[in-house]
Amino acid sequence: MELLFPQKKFGARRIMVFVREHWLLPLLTLALLARFYNVTQPTVWYDEAFSALVSTYSPALIWYYSGQDVHPPLYYLLLHGWTVVFGNGVFAIRAMSVVAGVMSVALGQWLVSLIATRRATIWACLLLALLPIAVRYSQEVRMYALMGVWLMGATITLVYWVQDPSRQRYPVSYVVLMTAAFYTHYFAALCVFSHWLYVSLPSKHGRFLLRPAWWLANIAIVVCYLPWIPHLMGQLSHTGAVDWIPPPSFDTLPSVIWQFLTLDDGRTLPWPLFLGLPLMVALATLAVITRDNGPHKFHTLIALYTAAPLCTVFLISFKLPLFTTRYFVFAALGLPIILAIALDHLALRHRRLAVGCLIALVALEVAGLYNDYTQNNKLNNSTSVLNNRVATMVDDLNQHFIPGDQVVVYDLYWYLSVLYYNKTHTQPLLYTPPSSGGLAARPGINGAGTLFYQHPNTYYLDRLSDLDTKARRVWLLYGSEVKDYVPVPASWHAVSVSTLGNTQLRLYAVERDNDVTEKKLTEE
């Protein structure tokens, strides 16, 4: 019967997992609820708005515009298809990342079930379900949650492949998943690096590195990636696109552990406490490696999957800063697995201590979720995100907009969000006054500017006075943290000013020359 109906048998086994492992469905439901909770509350900020806007174009244009930015195109292409089916509302576009985040939890527990005990699997699934960094980026219209799906899936495939190298479907699956990861984010290369380190390790069955199938699979990944290589080379030529990333310091690695588990960098804590948690994580990782007595060293694989990307980019960043927490969401998924395996080992001799440590970790994660839901975290220039009230301001604008009004946005950071929320059926303009030296201040062809440079007169406004003959009223939106007050023409008269958080919306009535003439004639 197994030979006649292999698919049926496999499907039955998967269903039995949910029946037998009665804890699995509740934990996956917990993961779903944690990611959907408050998902529409934060304003769609700059990066998210870019994703939403790019996804509205055709696949060919998405491919082109992605080439002018800093990331590959697959996420935007999938988001394009997602919005065709579910729409482009805030809930809809963030739901795609929520689904990817829950899939990562399911894949994580699958991976642990292959390499560790049932108890470790349950604990890992719980910690993955509540992992704050994973929840945070499962609520964002970006590619980080999706990247975790591809790389966790590729790691599972590698485990199956090492266990049974004769099965050809495993290398094929590995190629597909890893190619998808490379087309989603360039840091997929760090996961490949960790896999190469793993297959280079000696084992009782020899080095997997020496098998031709491993080399053929990696060659196939490169071949599948060739169509994107010209765009990659072009992106490498404008490294200024990542000049916002600060260089690393001695506390970068300890800080990122705190961010994974609490969404707080921990730098305000007393140094013994600040270093204590990362030290315990390091000791747990070391214990997992040293006690890895399995024939395939799969626990070591998870340690490499988590630690190798962090350490590699940390060292590279002293030359070219690239270390930013959200790029490591995929690696963070390995941390709960390491901790669960370590606690499982501890429980063999000190069960109460292990359970106490598990409770402490869950408490840390709950604190991290609180930081997420209140937007009280230090990720994605969070002070702006916390006080970014563009959604409220533009909603007010949409309600009070009168045909013939004009909308002007002071800064590109706010402009993309305004474009997303705008329902006025008029084209908002980005105010781009020349610098004091007379140089143009319009965005270049790279980054978000690539969406507008072909039609500059449609999107850019260099002088506010140009609107004197085009509009009766002008809405001016900008961040209230802007130090220099935006001078407006003398013919503009303030009607209202609204300030929420870091966002300010001003309404002006424009007095035209013929209005002045008519006023004088009336007085006479």
Side-chain angles (χ1 to χ4, degrees):
M1 291 297 291
E2 180 179 356
L3 294 177
L4 291 175
F5 303 103
Q7 296 87 356
K8 183 177 180 180
K9 181 176 178 61
F10 179 78
R13 285 179 177 175
R14 294 261 62 95
I15 293 174
M16 286 303 298
V17 169
F18 287 93
V19 175
R20 183 178 65 255
E21 306 297 346
H22 52 83
W23 51 268
L24 180 55
L25 188 58
L27 288 183
L28 292 180
T29 302
L30 176 64
L32 186 70
L33 294 175
R35 285 154 179 78
F36 266 129
Y37 179 78
N38 210 37
V39 71
T40 61
Q41 185 62 33
T43 295
V44 172
W45 71 292
Y46 178 88
D47 281 6
E48 291 185 289
F50 179 80
S51 298
L53 292 171
V54 170
S55 68
T56 62
Y57 293 96
S58 67
L61 284 176
I62 291 174
W63 183 277
Y64 171 76
Y65 288 139
S66 298
Q68 302 300 317
D69 190 44
V70 295
H71 296 303
L74 182 57
Y75 173 77
Y76 306 121
L77 291 168
L78 294 177
L79 184 61
H80 173 82
W82 180 274
T83 56
V84 169
V85 177
F86 299 104
N88 66 344
V90 177
F91 182 87
I93 59 177
R94 284 180 173 158
M96 178 173 152
S97 293
V98 170
V99 172
V102 176
M103 289 177 63
S104 295
V105 176
L107 291 171
Q109 72 81 26
W110 185 357
L111 176 59
V112 185
S113 70
L114 297 175
I115 65 175
T117 67
R118 183 174 182 269
R119 178 171 56 195
T121 303
I122 297 172
W123 289 0
C125 191
L126 172 62
L127 294 175
L128 281 167
L130 300 177
L131 183 64
I133 192 70
V135 173
R136 169 69 178 80
Y137 289 104
S138 295
Q139 297 179 314
E140 189 160 293
V141 194
R142 295 297 281 172
M143 65 285 297
Y144 310 113
L146 179 64
M147 187 183 177
V149 173
W150 304 136
L151 297 181
M152 189 61 69
T155 304
I156 292 172
T157 303
L158 180 59
V159 168
Y160 275 114
W161 193 4
V162 169
Q163 289 177 331
D164 188 0
S166 64
R167 302 297 292 269
Q168 296 301 313
R169 68 181 183 184
Y170 297 139
V172 172
S173 299
Y174 185 85
V175 170
V176 171
L177 290 166
M178 196 56 74
T179 300
F182 270 103
Y183 273 103
T184 300
H185 198 280
Y186 296 125
F187 272 35
L190 297 168
C191 180
V192 172
F193 175 62
S194 69
H195 289 175
W196 275 80
L197 289 176
Y198 168 71
V199 299
S200 301
L201 297 175
S203 68
K204 296 178 181 179
H205 300 276
R207 285 184 171 88
F208 202 77
L209 178 66
L210 301 179
R211 295 180 179 271
W214 173 253
W215 289 87
L216 290 174
N218 282 270
I219 292 172
I221 294 170
V222 173
V223 171
C224 292
Y225 204 61
L226 287 177
W228 186 251
I229 294 298
H231 297 284
L232 170 60
M233 300 309 295
Q235 290 176 343
L236 291 175
S237 66
H238 56 272
T239 55
V242 293
D243 59 5
W244 52 271
I245 302 177
S249 59
F250 78 95
D251 60 353
T252 295
L253 289 178
S255 177
V256 79
I257 300 300
W258 279 100
Q259 288 179 314
F260 284 172
L261 294 173
T262 69
L263 298 187
D264 188 289
D265 61 16
R267 289 187 170 98
T268 60
L269 297 172
W271 70 263
L273 182 58
F274 172 67
L275 295 178
L277 177 63
L279 180 60
M280 286 190 288
V281 169
L283 292 175
T285 305
L286 182 62
V288 166
I289 294 174
T290 55
R291 298 192 62 178
D292 188 4
N293 299 319
H296 303 297
K297 303 294 183 182
F298 287 137
H299 296 177
T300 303
L301 168 61
I302 304 303
L304 290 171
Y305 174 90
T306 304
L310 293 171
C311 296
T312 301
V313 177
F314 175 72
L315 295 175
I316 293 174
S317 292
F318 284 100
K319 182 67 175 179
L320 176 64
L322 293 173
F323 200 103
T324 185
T325 304
R326 62 181 179 269
Y327 291 175
F328 297 103
V329 171
F330 76 93
L333 296 174
L335 183 57
I337 297 176
I338 292 172
L339 295 175
I341 294 174
L343 291 177
D344 182 51
H345 290 327
L346 180 62
L348 294 176
R349 295 186 177 182
H350 307 284
R351 181 180 177 82
R352 291 184 178 179
L353 178 59
V355 172
C357 291
L358 177 66
I359 293 173
L361 284 172
V362 171
L364 275 178
E365 291 190 332
V366 170
L369 293 179
Y370 175 80
N371 288 335
D372 176 34
Y373 299 147
T374 60
Q375 301 178 64
N376 183 28
N377 60 79
K378 299 180 179 179
L379 302 169
N380 291 12
N381 58 28
S382 60
T383 55
S384 294
V385 175
L386 176 62
N387 295 302
N388 184 340
R389 303 300 178 86
V390 168
T392 303
M393 290 296 196
V394 178
D395 181 62
D396 183 64
L397 188 157
N398 291 332
Q399 294 181 32
H400 297 92
F401 183 87
I402 298 175
D405 288 359
Q406 185 61 66
V407 181
V408 179
V409 184
Y410 181 76
D411 188 83
L412 181 62
Y413 179 86
W414 310 92
Y415 184 63
L416 296 186
S417 297
V418 171
L419 289 182
Y420 174 76
Y421 286 108
N422 174 47
K423 307 297 182 185
T424 64
H425 304 293
T426 191
Q427 178 61 59
L429 299 173
L430 175 61
Y431 183 43
T432 53
S435 65
S436 57
L439 299 177
R442 294 178 174 182
I445 188 175
N446 298 319
T450 188
L451 302 176
F452 317 121
Y453 82 97
Q454 291 180 330
H455 305 284
N457 294 329
T458 302
Y459 298 99
Y460 301 143
L461 177 69
D462 295 336
R463 293 178 298 275
L464 294 177
S465 59
D466 290 345
L467 296 178
D468 284 356
T469 60
K470 300 178 181 179
R472 288 282 188 175
R473 302 196 311 172
V474 177
W475 299 85
L476 180 60
L477 186 146
Y478 58 93
S480 60
E481 78 278 6
V482 175
K483 296 180 180 179
D484 298 326
Y485 172 72
V486 180
V488 300
S491 58
W492 291 22
H493 304 289
V495 175
S496 64
V497 178
S498 300
T499 301
L500 286 176
N502 285 343
T503 315
Q504 189 170 107
L505 179 66
R506 295 173 177 263
L507 173 61
Y508 293 93
V510 179
E511 186 178 87
R512 299 179 181 175
D513 292 340
N514 58 347
D515 295 335
V516 176
T517 302
E518 291 176 1
K519 181 178 180 181
K520 289 182 177 179
L521 290 174
T522 302
E523 292 175 352
E524 293 176 356

